[in-house]
Amino acid sequence: MPPRDPARPRHNVFEAAAIYVTASVEENPDRLDEAAGWVAPDALAFGINELACRAVTALAKERDEPVEVVARRLLGLPGAGPARPA
């Protein structure tokens, strides 16, 4: 592994995951590549997983629904049940 370039900013796994997911939603391949280059692929996968877990948990709390119901609904899977009225 080459030595780290001190002029290049350091990014952590969660920052890389946030940018990677945002770029994916925005369909921005340049930003996807940039974020993917900040950390190792397994670290990026870990960060994306952590982001997904936190997002689904937050939505479940906000909606007062079980985490599994929210996750299944987001993915369009059966067993999610009908959406609750606001």
Side-chain angles (χ1 to χ4, degrees), residues 13-14 16-18 20-21 41-57:
V13 63
F14 299 116
Y20 188 89
V21 169
D42 59 331
L44 182 59
F46 169 80
I48 292 168
N49 181 64
E50 186 66 22
L51 177 59
C53 290
R54 291 181 188 196
V56 171
T57 300

Side-chain angles (χ1 to χ4, degrees), residues 9-81:
R10 292 186 100 161
H11 301 280
N12 71 41
V13 63
F14 299 116
E15 185 178 19
I19 297 302
Y20 188 89
V21 169
T22 302
S24 181
V25 170
E26 294 173 350
E27 298 180 6
N28 184 336
D30 292 334
R31 195 75 165 134
L32 271 170
D33 290 343
E34 179 185 0
W38 290 349
V39 295
D42 59 331
L44 182 59
F46 169 80
I48 292 168
N49 181 64
E50 186 66 22
L51 177 59
C53 290
R54 291 181 188 196
V56 171
T57 300
L59 279 173
K61 285 181 182 179
E62 182 180 294
R63 296 175 179 181
D64 193 28
E65 294 180 331
V67 172
E68 184 176 0
V69 169
V70 172
R72 295 180 73 82
R73 187 176 298 127
L74 288 169
L75 293 169
L77 297 173

